[in-house]
Amino acid sequence: LKSLPAKPVAHFSLADHRGKEWSLDDFQDHRLIVLAVVGTECPLAQKYVVRLQQLANEFAERGVAFVGV
């Protein structure tokens, strides 16, 4: 599998399930953002949430943020 070069992402913001707005600026202190698109109604996606949290905890010290959409 060939890696593609990193490209900047245009600024955007999204509201979380509590209504709080989040934007890329909120993650300026991170080296990398992992964006995981999951369906909250999907049983398989619900199982992934636990693993995504484990990965987020594991890589936090390396400056990696995990964001679920």
Side-chain angles (χ1 to χ4, degrees):
L1 194 64
K2 183 178 178 183
S3 294
L4 299 175
K7 294 182 181 180
V9 175
H11 180 78
F12 68 94
S13 63
L14 297 170
D16 68 14
H17 65 284
R18 295 181 186 103
K20 181 180 188 300
E21 289 282 326
W22 292 87
S23 74
L24 292 176
D25 293 338
D26 295 309
F27 300 95
Q28 285 182 347
D29 59 339
H30 292 84
R31 296 176 56 206
L32 177 73
I33 300 171
V34 175
L35 186 62
V37 180
V38 295
T40 57
E41 305 271 331
C42 174
L44 187 58
Q46 291 173 1
K47 291 182 180 186
Y48 286 149
V49 171
V50 174
R51 181 63 179 140
L52 288 171
Q53 184 61 59
Q54 291 170 340
L55 290 168
N57 295 342
E58 181 180 342
F59 287 94
E61 290 182 9
R62 296 184 189 174
V64 180
F66 282 73
V67 178
V69 178

Tab-separated table of all heavy atoms in Angstrom:
chain	number	residue	atom	x	y	z
A	1	LEU	N	0.852	-1.177	0.000
A	1	LEU	CA	0.000	0.000	0.000
A	1	LEU	C	0.888	1.227	0.000
A	1	LEU	O	1.769	1.360	0.838
A	1	LEU	CB	-0.896	-0.035	1.233
A	1	LEU	CG	-2.063	0.912	1.266
A	1	LEU	CD1	-3.045	0.584	0.150
A	1	LEU	CD2	-2.767	0.782	2.589
A	2	LYS	N	0.669	2.111	-0.940
A	2	LYS	CA	1.490	3.303	-1.084
A	2	LYS	C	0.918	4.452	-0.255
A	2	LYS	O	-0.282	4.720	-0.302
A	2	LYS	CB	1.559	3.707	-2.545
A	2	LYS	CG	2.449	4.876	-2.809
A	2	LYS	CD	2.507	5.186	-4.295
A	2	LYS	CE	3.379	6.401	-4.524
A	2	LYS	NZ	3.414	6.776	-5.927
A	3	SER	N	1.773	5.137	0.486
A	3	SER	CA	1.345	6.294	1.263
A	3	SER	C	1.256	7.518	0.368
A	3	SER	O	2.091	7.712	-0.505
A	3	SER	CB	2.333	6.576	2.388
A	3	SER	OG	2.327	5.535	3.316
A	4	LEU	N	0.259	8.323	0.601
A	4	LEU	CA	0.118	9.578	-0.120
A	4	LEU	C	0.698	10.704	0.724
A	4	LEU	O	0.653	10.637	1.955
A	4	LEU	CB	-1.353	9.851	-0.414
A	4	LEU	CG	-2.065	8.818	-1.280
A	4	LEU	CD1	-3.541	9.144	-1.379
A	4	LEU	CD2	-1.442	8.770	-2.666
A	5	PRO	N	1.205	11.748	0.092
A	5	PRO	CA	1.740	12.867	0.871
A	5	PRO	C	0.630	13.570	1.644
A	5	PRO	O	-0.514	13.631	1.183
A	5	PRO	CB	2.361	13.782	-0.184
A	5	PRO	CG	1.727	13.388	-1.469
A	5	PRO	CD	1.326	11.949	-1.337
A	6	ALA	N	0.983	14.096	2.790
A	6	ALA	CA	0.008	14.817	3.613
A	6	ALA	C	-0.375	16.112	2.917
A	6	ALA	O	0.451	16.756	2.282
A	6	ALA	CB	0.600	15.106	4.984
A	7	LYS	N	-1.659	16.481	3.041
A	7	LYS	CA	-2.151	17.726	2.463
A	7	LYS	C	-2.912	18.485	3.537
A	7	LYS	O	-3.614	17.880	4.345
A	7	LYS	CB	-3.085	17.446	1.284
A	7	LYS	CG	-2.402	16.817	0.102
A	7	LYS	CD	-3.390	16.629	-1.031
A	7	LYS	CE	-2.723	15.966	-2.205
A	7	LYS	NZ	-3.653	15.775	-3.320
A	8	PRO	N	-2.775	19.802	3.544
A	8	PRO	CA	-3.535	20.593	4.529
A	8	PRO	C	-5.040	20.459	4.289
A	8	PRO	O	-5.493	20.276	3.162
A	8	PRO	CB	-3.090	22.026	4.265
A	8	PRO	CG	-1.926	21.956	3.349
A	8	PRO	CD	-1.942	20.619	2.696
A	9	VAL	N	-5.798	20.572	5.355
A	9	VAL	CA	-7.252	20.503	5.287
A	9	VAL	C	-7.796	21.910	5.515
A	9	VAL	O	-7.315	22.630	6.383
A	9	VAL	CB	-7.804	19.550	6.371
A	9	VAL	CG1	-9.314	19.563	6.404
A	9	VAL	CG2	-7.269	18.152	6.154
A	10	ALA	N	-8.799	22.295	4.739
A	10	ALA	CA	-9.426	23.601	4.916
A	10	ALA	C	-10.074	23.679	6.299
A	10	ALA	O	-10.542	22.681	6.839
A	10	ALA	CB	-10.475	23.824	3.831
A	11	HIS	N	-10.096	24.878	6.855
A	11	HIS	CA	-10.675	25.084	8.183
A	11	HIS	C	-12.159	24.715	8.181
A	11	HIS	O	-12.896	25.047	7.263
A	11	HIS	CB	-10.509	26.537	8.609
A	11	HIS	CG	-11.079	26.825	9.944
A	11	HIS	ND1	-10.444	26.485	11.111
A	11	HIS	CD2	-12.250	27.370	10.315
A	11	HIS	CE1	-11.192	26.832	12.138
A	11	HIS	NE2	-12.291	27.365	11.680
A	12	PHE	N	-12.577	23.996	9.211
A	12	PHE	CA	-13.996	23.684	9.387
A	12	PHE	C	-14.264	23.484	10.861
A	12	PHE	O	-13.345	23.307	11.660
A	12	PHE	CB	-14.410	22.447	8.585
A	12	PHE	CG	-13.823	21.154	9.080
A	12	PHE	CD1	-14.521	20.356	9.969
A	12	PHE	CD2	-12.566	20.742	8.657
A	12	PHE	CE1	-13.983	19.152	10.424
A	12	PHE	CE2	-12.020	19.544	9.105
A	12	PHE	CZ	-12.732	18.758	9.979
A	13	SER	N	-15.530	23.522	11.244
A	13	SER	CA	-15.918	23.252	12.627
A	13	SER	C	-17.181	22.411	12.616
A	13	SER	O	-17.965	22.455	11.671
A	13	SER	CB	-16.131	24.550	13.413
A	13	SER	OG	-17.190	25.292	12.867
A	14	LEU	N	-17.331	21.635	13.685
A	14	LEU	CA	-18.495	20.761	13.849
A	14	LEU	C	-18.948	20.821	15.303
A	14	LEU	O	-18.133	21.022	16.202
A	14	LEU	CB	-18.137	19.310	13.510
A	14	LEU	CG	-17.707	19.010	12.077
A	14	LEU	CD1	-17.160	17.583	11.987
A	14	LEU	CD2	-18.873	19.188	11.128
A	15	ALA	N	-20.227	20.610	15.516
A	15	ALA	CA	-20.763	20.564	16.877
A	15	ALA	C	-20.810	19.118	17.345
A	15	ALA	O	-21.125	18.217	16.574
A	15	ALA	CB	-22.166	21.162	16.909
A	16	ASP	N	-20.454	18.893	18.623
A	16	ASP	CA	-20.548	17.542	19.170
A	16	ASP	C	-21.976	17.271	19.644
A	16	ASP	O	-22.870	18.122	19.500
A	16	ASP	CB	-19.503	17.303	20.267
A	16	ASP	CG	-19.728	18.109	21.540
A	16	ASP	OD1	-20.824	18.677	21.730
A	16	ASP	OD2	-18.789	18.167	22.358
A	17	HIS	N	-22.183	16.095	20.215
A	17	HIS	CA	-23.537	15.701	20.631
A	17	HIS	C	-24.087	16.552	21.769
A	17	HIS	O	-25.276	16.530	22.055
A	17	HIS	CB	-23.560	14.214	21.003
A	17	HIS	CG	-22.743	13.867	22.199
A	17	HIS	ND1	-21.368	13.775	22.158
A	17	HIS	CD2	-23.097	13.608	23.467
A	17	HIS	CE1	-20.921	13.463	23.356
A	17	HIS	NE2	-21.945	13.354	24.170
A	18	ARG	N	-23.220	17.334	22.417
A	18	ARG	CA	-23.661	18.238	23.479
A	18	ARG	C	-23.887	19.659	22.957
A	18	ARG	O	-24.271	20.540	23.708
A	18	ARG	CB	-22.621	18.263	24.598
A	18	ARG	CG	-22.473	16.938	25.312
A	18	ARG	CD	-21.438	17.050	26.429
A	18	ARG	NE	-21.203	15.762	27.015
A	18	ARG	CZ	-20.135	15.008	26.781
A	18	ARG	NH1	-19.180	15.424	25.977
A	18	ARG	NH2	-19.996	13.841	27.363
A	19	GLY	N	-23.562	19.882	21.667
A	19	GLY	CA	-23.725	21.199	21.073
A	19	GLY	C	-22.472	22.064	21.103
A	19	GLY	O	-22.476	23.173	20.593
A	20	LYS	N	-21.364	21.562	21.680
A	20	LYS	CA	-20.116	22.320	21.731
A	20	LYS	C	-19.463	22.305	20.357
A	20	LYS	O	-19.346	21.275	19.723
A	20	LYS	CB	-19.152	21.716	22.755
A	20	LYS	CG	-17.843	22.480	22.869
A	20	LYS	CD	-16.926	21.829	23.893
A	20	LYS	CE	-15.689	22.608	24.212
A	20	LYS	NZ	-14.774	22.893	23.178
A	21	GLU	N	-19.068	23.482	19.886
A	21	GLU	CA	-18.391	23.601	18.599
A	21	GLU	C	-16.909	23.241	18.744
A	21	GLU	O	-16.248	23.669	19.678
A	21	GLU	CB	-18.498	25.032	18.064
A	21	GLU	CG	-19.873	25.414	17.591
A	21	GLU	CD	-20.206	24.845	16.229
A	21	GLU	OE1	-19.304	24.714	15.387
A	21	GLU	OE2	-21.394	24.542	16.014
A	22	TRP	N	-16.407	22.450	17.802
A	22	TRP	CA	-15.004	22.075	17.738
A	22	TRP	C	-14.467	22.463	16.367
A	22	TRP	O	-15.171	22.333	15.372
A	22	TRP	CB	-14.837	20.568	17.919
A	22	TRP	CG	-15.178	20.085	19.290
A	22	TRP	CD1	-16.408	19.717	19.740
A	22	TRP	CD2	-14.295	19.923	20.385
A	22	TRP	NE1	-16.336	19.325	21.058
A	22	TRP	CE2	-15.041	19.451	21.477
A	22	TRP	CE3	-12.937	20.132	20.561
A	22	TRP	CZ2	-14.480	19.184	22.710
A	22	TRP	CZ3	-12.378	19.861	21.798
A	22	TRP	CH2	-13.141	19.389	22.859
A	23	SER	N	-13.237	22.916	16.317
A	23	SER	CA	-12.619	23.242	15.036
A	23	SER	C	-11.189	22.711	15.039
A	23	SER	O	-10.679	22.254	16.062
A	23	SER	CB	-12.618	24.749	14.806
A	23	SER	OG	-11.652	25.377	15.626
A	24	LEU	N	-10.550	22.795	13.902
A	24	LEU	CA	-9.156	22.350	13.810
A	24	LEU	C	-8.252	23.146	14.752
A	24	LEU	O	-7.256	22.631	15.241
A	24	LEU	CB	-8.658	22.468	12.368
A	24	LEU	CG	-9.298	21.513	11.380
A	24	LEU	CD1	-8.783	21.795	9.978
A	24	LEU	CD2	-9.019	20.068	11.758
A	25	ASP	N	-8.613	24.391	15.011
A	25	ASP	CA	-7.823	25.217	15.935
A	25	ASP	C	-7.737	24.592	17.326
A	25	ASP	O	-6.761	24.816	18.049
A	25	ASP	CB	-8.415	26.620	16.049
A	25	ASP	CG	-8.298	27.403	14.760
A	25	ASP	OD1	-7.433	27.064	13.919
A	25	ASP	OD2	-9.076	28.364	14.577
A	26	ASP	N	-8.736	23.814	17.707
A	26	ASP	CA	-8.733	23.173	19.027
A	26	ASP	C	-7.663	22.083	19.137
A	26	ASP	O	-7.389	21.602	20.235
A	26	ASP	CB	-10.107	22.561	19.327
A	26	ASP	CG	-11.184	23.616	19.446
A	26	ASP	OD1	-10.986	24.591	20.196
A	26	ASP	OD2	-12.230	23.476	18.784
A	27	PHE	N	-7.075	21.704	18.020
A	27	PHE	CA	-6.094	20.623	18.006
A	27	PHE	C	-4.725	21.086	17.520
A	27	PHE	O	-3.910	20.294	17.070
A	27	PHE	CB	-6.612	19.472	17.124
A	27	PHE	CG	-7.914	18.907	17.606
A	27	PHE	CD1	-9.112	19.364	17.084
A	27	PHE	CD2	-7.938	17.947	18.604
A	27	PHE	CE1	-10.318	18.860	17.540
A	27	PHE	CE2	-9.137	17.438	19.070
A	27	PHE	CZ	-10.335	17.898	18.537
A	28	GLN	N	-4.455	22.384	17.629
A	28	GLN	CA	-3.186	22.938	17.153
A	28	GLN	C	-1.967	22.328	17.826
A	28	GLN	O	-0.902	22.281	17.235
A	28	GLN	CB	-3.150	24.452	17.347
A	28	GLN	CG	-3.993	25.205	16.368
A	28	GLN	CD	-3.877	26.696	16.567
A	28	GLN	OE1	-3.362	27.174	17.572
A	28	GLN	NE2	-4.367	27.455	15.600
A	29	ASP	N	-2.123	21.870	19.048
A	29	ASP	CA	-0.984	21.309	19.777
A	29	ASP	C	-0.756	19.831	19.462
A	29	ASP	O	0.104	19.190	20.053
A	29	ASP	CB	-1.155	21.516	21.283
A	29	ASP	CG	-2.428	20.884	21.833
A	29	ASP	OD1	-3.356	20.649	21.044
A	29	ASP	OD2	-2.478	20.634	23.045
A	30	HIS	N	-1.491	19.281	18.511
A	30	HIS	CA	-1.332	17.882	18.108
A	30	HIS	C	-0.584	17.790	16.782
A	30	HIS	O	-0.721	18.651	15.923
A	30	HIS	CB	-2.701	17.209	17.974
A	30	HIS	CG	-3.397	17.046	19.275
A	30	HIS	ND1	-4.135	18.044	19.845
A	30	HIS	CD2	-3.452	16.002	20.129
A	30	HIS	CE1	-4.625	17.630	20.995
A	30	HIS	NE2	-4.226	16.388	21.194
A	31	ARG	N	0.193	16.752	16.654
A	31	ARG	CA	0.957	16.518	15.423
A	31	ARG	C	0.093	15.880	14.343
A	31	ARG	O	0.344	16.037	13.155
A	31	ARG	CB	2.141	15.608	15.715
A	31	ARG	CG	3.147	16.219	16.670
A	31	ARG	CD	4.261	15.274	17.014
A	31	ARG	NE	4.920	14.821	15.785
A	31	ARG	CZ	5.552	13.679	15.674
A	31	ARG	NH1	5.629	12.858	16.701
A	31	ARG	NH2	6.126	13.330	14.550
A	32	LEU	N	-0.912	15.132	14.780
A	32	LEU	CA	-1.725	14.365	13.855
A	32	LEU	C	-3.131	14.230	14.418
A	32	LEU	O	-3.311	14.081	15.627
A	32	LEU	CB	-1.116	12.966	13.669
A	32	LEU	CG	-1.853	11.975	12.799
A	32	LEU	CD1	-1.725	12.368	11.336
A	32	LEU	CD2	-1.300	10.577	13.010
A	33	ILE	N	-4.135	14.285	13.535
A	33	ILE	CA	-5.522	14.062	13.932
A	33	ILE	C	-6.042	12.864	13.156
A	33	ILE	O	-5.971	12.841	11.927
A	33	ILE	CB	-6.413	15.284	13.627
A	33	ILE	CG1	-5.912	16.518	14.360
A	33	ILE	CG2	-7.861	14.987	14.001
A	33	ILE	CD1	-6.608	17.792	13.928
A	34	VAL	N	-6.534	11.876	13.882
A	34	VAL	CA	-7.176	10.717	13.260
A	34	VAL	C	-8.674	10.989	13.279
A	34	VAL	O	-9.263	11.164	14.342
A	34	VAL	CB	-6.860	9.417	14.024
A	34	VAL	CG1	-7.625	8.249	13.427
A	34	VAL	CG2	-5.365	9.157	14.026
A	35	LEU	N	-9.268	11.057	12.099
A	35	LEU	CA	-10.689	11.321	11.979
A	35	LEU	C	-11.404	10.008	11.684
A	35	LEU	O	-11.209	9.410	10.636
A	35	LEU	CB	-10.934	12.325	10.857
A	35	LEU	CG	-12.342	12.836	10.683
A	35	LEU	CD1	-12.795	13.590	11.929
A	35	LEU	CD2	-12.420	13.727	9.466
A	36	ALA	N	-12.198	9.544	12.649
A	36	ALA	CA	-12.921	8.276	12.501
A	36	ALA	C	-14.400	8.581	12.276
A	36	ALA	O	-15.049	9.202	13.112
A	36	ALA	CB	-12.740	7.422	13.751
A	37	VAL	N	-14.911	8.169	11.141
A	37	VAL	CA	-16.321	8.380	10.826
A	37	VAL	C	-17.083	7.125	11.232
A	37	VAL	O	-16.840	6.046	10.695
A	37	VAL	CB	-16.520	8.681	9.326
A	37	VAL	CG1	-17.983	8.905	9.013
A	37	VAL	CG2	-15.683	9.887	8.922
A	38	VAL	N	-17.965	7.266	12.209
A	38	VAL	CA	-18.714	6.120	12.735
A	38	VAL	C	-20.199	6.467	12.808
A	38	VAL	O	-20.568	7.620	12.986
A	38	VAL	CB	-18.204	5.695	14.134
A	38	VAL	CG1	-16.785	5.193	14.071
A	38	VAL	CG2	-18.301	6.834	15.125
A	39	GLY	N	-21.033	5.457	12.674
A	39	GLY	CA	-22.472	5.632	12.828
A	39	GLY	C	-22.873	5.247	14.242
A	39	GLY	O	-22.610	4.127	14.678
A	40	THR	N	-23.504	6.145	14.955
A	40	THR	CA	-23.843	5.883	16.354
A	40	THR	C	-24.882	4.781	16.517
A	40	THR	O	-24.978	4.181	17.574
A	40	THR	CB	-24.359	7.161	17.044
A	40	THR	OG1	-25.495	7.649	16.322
A	40	THR	CG2	-23.282	8.225	17.081
A	41	GLU	N	-25.630	4.507	15.473
A	41	GLU	CA	-26.655	3.465	15.531
A	41	GLU	C	-26.111	2.096	15.117
A	41	GLU	O	-26.769	1.081	15.304
A	41	GLU	CB	-27.826	3.837	14.615
A	41	GLU	CG	-28.417	5.195	14.903
A	41	GLU	CD	-29.522	5.151	15.932
A	41	GLU	OE1	-30.188	4.116	16.013
A	41	GLU	OE2	-29.709	6.149	16.633
A	42	CYS	N	-24.925	2.078	14.552
A	42	CYS	CA	-24.343	0.849	14.009
A	42	CYS	C	-23.708	0.013	15.134
A	42	CYS	O	-22.803	0.491	15.816
A	42	CYS	CB	-23.297	1.203	12.964
A	42	CYS	SG	-22.385	-0.214	12.330
A	43	PRO	N	-24.145	-1.227	15.318
A	43	PRO	CA	-23.567	-2.073	16.378
A	43	PRO	C	-22.063	-2.306	16.204
A	43	PRO	O	-21.327	-2.334	17.176
A	43	PRO	CB	-24.330	-3.390	16.256
A	43	PRO	CG	-25.538	-3.104	15.451
A	43	PRO	CD	-25.223	-1.912	14.607
A	44	LEU	N	-21.608	-2.446	14.976
A	44	LEU	CA	-20.187	-2.651	14.725
A	44	LEU	C	-19.393	-1.397	15.087
A	44	LEU	O	-18.343	-1.480	15.731
A	44	LEU	CB	-19.957	-3.028	13.262
A	44	LEU	CG	-18.547	-3.436	12.881
A	44	LEU	CD1	-18.069	-4.619	13.716
A	44	LEU	CD2	-18.490	-3.775	11.400
A	45	ALA	N	-19.900	-0.245	14.710
A	45	ALA	CA	-19.224	1.010	15.037
A	45	ALA	C	-19.165	1.219	16.545
A	45	ALA	O	-18.179	1.732	17.072
A	45	ALA	CB	-19.926	2.184	14.365
A	46	GLN	N	-20.214	0.815	17.250
A	46	GLN	CA	-20.228	0.946	18.705
A	46	GLN	C	-19.105	0.134	19.332
A	46	GLN	O	-18.518	0.530	20.337
A	46	GLN	CB	-21.581	0.531	19.269
A	46	GLN	CG	-22.681	1.505	18.912
A	46	GLN	CD	-24.055	1.010	19.328
A	46	GLN	OE1	-24.205	-0.056	19.906
A	46	GLN	NE2	-25.073	1.795	19.017
A	47	LYS	N	-18.776	-0.994	18.737
A	47	LYS	CA	-17.669	-1.810	19.245
A	47	LYS	C	-16.324	-1.159	18.957
A	47	LYS	O	-15.382	-1.310	19.719
A	47	LYS	CB	-17.722	-3.213	18.645
A	47	LYS	CG	-18.892	-4.015	19.145
A	47	LYS	CD	-18.896	-5.406	18.581
A	47	LYS	CE	-20.102	-6.166	19.127
A	47	LYS	NZ	-20.111	-7.553	18.737
A	48	TYR	N	-16.222	-0.436	17.845
A	48	TYR	CA	-14.978	0.246	17.490
A	48	TYR	C	-14.648	1.380	18.448
A	48	TYR	O	-13.493	1.731	18.630
A	48	TYR	CB	-15.053	0.825	16.076
A	48	TYR	CG	-14.961	-0.185	14.968
A	48	TYR	CD1	-15.607	0.035	13.767
A	48	TYR	CD2	-14.222	-1.352	15.101
A	48	TYR	CE1	-15.540	-0.880	12.728
A	48	TYR	CE2	-14.146	-2.274	14.075
A	48	TYR	CZ	-14.800	-2.030	12.891
A	48	TYR	OH	-14.722	-2.929	11.881
A	49	VAL	N	-15.676	1.970	19.054
A	49	VAL	CA	-15.466	3.114	19.931
A	49	VAL	C	-14.512	2.760	21.073
A	49	VAL	O	-13.627	3.546	21.412
A	49	VAL	CB	-16.809	3.651	20.466
A	49	VAL	CG1	-16.595	4.696	21.541
A	49	VAL	CG2	-17.637	4.220	19.325
A	50	VAL	N	-14.665	1.585	21.640
A	50	VAL	CA	-13.779	1.160	22.732
A	50	VAL	C	-12.339	1.085	22.238
A	50	VAL	O	-11.420	1.590	22.885
A	50	VAL	CB	-14.233	-0.199	23.313
A	50	VAL	CG1	-13.230	-0.709	24.328
A	50	VAL	CG2	-15.615	-0.071	23.934
A	51	ARG	N	-12.120	0.497	21.075
A	51	ARG	CA	-10.768	0.377	20.517
A	51	ARG	C	-10.209	1.743	20.149
A	51	ARG	O	-9.021	2.008	20.375
A	51	ARG	CB	-10.768	-0.544	19.292
A	51	ARG	CG	-9.407	-0.721	18.676
A	51	ARG	CD	-8.438	-1.403	19.633
A	51	ARG	NE	-7.146	-1.576	18.990
A	51	ARG	CZ	-5.983	-1.404	19.594
A	51	ARG	NH1	-5.938	-1.119	20.875
A	51	ARG	NH2	-4.872	-1.568	18.934
A	52	LEU	N	-11.032	2.609	19.596
A	52	LEU	CA	-10.564	3.957	19.274
A	52	LEU	C	-10.118	4.701	20.526
A	52	LEU	O	-9.120	5.423	20.509
A	52	LEU	CB	-11.656	4.738	18.538
A	52	LEU	CG	-11.933	4.311	17.106
A	52	LEU	CD1	-13.182	5.012	16.569
A	52	LEU	CD2	-10.732	4.579	16.214
A	53	GLN	N	-10.839	4.520	21.627
A	53	GLN	CA	-10.441	5.162	22.889
A	53	GLN	C	-9.114	4.600	23.379
A	53	GLN	O	-8.256	5.332	23.878
A	53	GLN	CB	-11.519	4.998	23.956
A	53	GLN	CG	-11.209	5.732	25.248
A	53	GLN	CD	-11.087	7.222	25.051
A	53	GLN	OE1	-12.029	7.861	24.607
A	53	GLN	NE2	-9.934	7.780	25.367
A	54	GLN	N	-8.925	3.287	23.251
A	54	GLN	CA	-7.650	2.674	23.632
A	54	GLN	C	-6.508	3.250	22.807
A	54	GLN	O	-5.441	3.573	23.342
A	54	GLN	CB	-7.708	1.155	23.447
A	54	GLN	CG	-8.621	0.445	24.404
A	54	GLN	CD	-8.837	-1.022	24.030
A	54	GLN	OE1	-8.621	-1.424	22.879
A	54	GLN	NE2	-9.287	-1.815	25.000
A	55	LEU	N	-6.715	3.383	21.514
A	55	LEU	CA	-5.688	3.957	20.641
A	55	LEU	C	-5.422	5.416	20.996
A	55	LEU	O	-4.270	5.867	21.001
A	55	LEU	CB	-6.094	3.822	19.178
A	55	LEU	CG	-6.076	2.413	18.616
A	55	LEU	CD1	-6.768	2.367	17.260
A	55	LEU	CD2	-4.656	1.890	18.512
A	56	ALA	N	-6.483	6.162	21.275
A	56	ALA	CA	-6.325	7.561	21.670
A	56	ALA	C	-5.477	7.672	22.930
A	56	ALA	O	-4.575	8.514	23.015
A	56	ALA	CB	-7.694	8.206	21.883
A	57	ASN	N	-5.737	6.820	23.907
A	57	ASN	CA	-4.943	6.824	25.140
A	57	ASN	C	-3.492	6.441	24.865
A	57	ASN	O	-2.569	7.047	25.411
A	57	ASN	CB	-5.543	5.859	26.167
A	57	ASN	CG	-6.908	6.290	26.637
A	57	ASN	OD1	-7.312	7.441	26.493
A	57	ASN	ND2	-7.657	5.347	27.169
A	58	GLU	N	-3.293	5.455	24.005
A	58	GLU	CA	-1.960	4.957	23.699
A	58	GLU	C	-1.101	5.988	22.960
A	58	GLU	O	0.090	6.113	23.218
A	58	GLU	CB	-2.077	3.689	22.854
A	58	GLU	CG	-0.757	3.060	22.485
A	58	GLU	CD	-0.919	1.794	21.652
A	58	GLU	OE1	-2.030	1.219	21.636
A	58	GLU	OE2	0.057	1.390	21.020
A	59	PHE	N	-1.702	6.747	22.057
A	59	PHE	CA	-0.942	7.660	21.217
A	59	PHE	C	-1.008	9.124	21.653
A	59	PHE	O	-0.402	9.986	21.015
A	59	PHE	CB	-1.388	7.529	19.761
A	59	PHE	CG	-0.916	6.250	19.130
A	59	PHE	CD1	-1.730	5.131	19.114
A	59	PHE	CD2	0.346	6.158	18.576
A	59	PHE	CE1	-1.300	3.946	18.547
A	59	PHE	CE2	0.795	4.988	17.997
A	59	PHE	CZ	-0.031	3.869	17.987
A	60	ALA	N	-1.712	9.423	22.717
A	60	ALA	CA	-1.848	10.804	23.177
A	60	ALA	C	-0.494	11.446	23.471
A	60	ALA	O	-0.261	12.610	23.115
A	60	ALA	CB	-2.745	10.857	24.413
A	61	GLU	N	0.398	10.703	24.095
A	61	GLU	CA	1.711	11.255	24.445
A	61	GLU	C	2.548	11.576	23.210
A	61	GLU	O	3.493	12.343	23.287
A	61	GLU	CB	2.466	10.286	25.350
A	61	GLU	CG	1.872	10.177	26.726
A	61	GLU	CD	2.663	9.244	27.622
A	61	GLU	OE1	3.764	8.814	27.242
A	61	GLU	OE2	2.156	8.946	28.717
A	62	ARG	N	2.193	11.008	22.072
A	62	ARG	CA	2.908	11.276	20.823
A	62	ARG	C	2.283	12.416	20.033
A	62	ARG	O	2.673	12.692	18.908
A	62	ARG	CB	2.936	10.028	19.952
A	62	ARG	CG	3.710	8.878	20.572
A	62	ARG	CD	3.757	7.740	19.605
A	62	ARG	NE	4.309	6.539	20.221
A	62	ARG	CZ	4.355	5.371	19.618
A	62	ARG	NH1	3.875	5.223	18.408
A	62	ARG	NH2	4.863	4.341	20.233
A	63	GLY	N	1.269	13.055	20.616
A	63	GLY	CA	0.645	14.195	19.962
A	63	GLY	C	-0.409	13.831	18.943
A	63	GLY	O	-0.689	14.605	18.031
A	64	VAL	N	-1.017	12.655	19.109
A	64	VAL	CA	-2.051	12.203	18.177
A	64	VAL	C	-3.422	12.376	18.839
A	64	VAL	O	-3.628	11.919	19.960
A	64	VAL	CB	-1.847	10.734	17.763
A	64	VAL	CG1	-2.934	10.280	16.800
A	64	VAL	CG2	-0.464	10.542	17.143
A	65	ALA	N	-4.342	13.025	18.136
A	65	ALA	CA	-5.718	13.194	18.609
A	65	ALA	C	-6.630	12.304	17.780
A	65	ALA	O	-6.464	12.203	16.566
A	65	ALA	CB	-6.152	14.647	18.487
A	66	PHE	N	-7.580	11.671	18.415
A	66	PHE	CA	-8.589	10.868	17.726
A	66	PHE	C	-9.916	11.578	17.847
A	66	PHE	O	-10.339	11.927	18.956
A	66	PHE	CB	-8.694	9.470	18.355
A	66	PHE	CG	-7.590	8.531	17.939
A	66	PHE	CD1	-6.314	8.695	18.428
A	66	PHE	CD2	-7.843	7.495	17.059
A	66	PHE	CE1	-5.287	7.837	18.046
A	66	PHE	CE2	-6.835	6.635	16.669
A	66	PHE	CZ	-5.550	6.809	17.168
A	67	VAL	N	-10.567	11.811	16.729
A	67	VAL	CA	-11.841	12.508	16.699
A	67	VAL	C	-12.860	11.636	15.981
A	67	VAL	O	-12.622	11.196	14.848
A	67	VAL	CB	-11.717	13.870	15.966
A	67	VAL	CG1	-13.057	14.569	15.882
A	67	VAL	CG2	-10.676	14.751	16.648
A	68	GLY	N	-13.954	11.356	16.642
A	68	GLY	CA	-15.026	10.573	16.030
A	68	GLY	C	-16.101	11.488	15.475
A	68	GLY	O	-16.526	12.436	16.140
A	69	VAL	N	-16.509	11.218	14.260
A	69	VAL	CA	-17.570	11.994	13.616
A	69	VAL	C	-18.690	11.049	13.247
A	69	VAL	O	-18.447	9.997	12.691
A	69	VAL	CB	-17.055	12.701	12.341
A	69	VAL	CG1	-18.172	13.456	11.652
A	69	VAL	CG2	-15.918	13.645	12.687
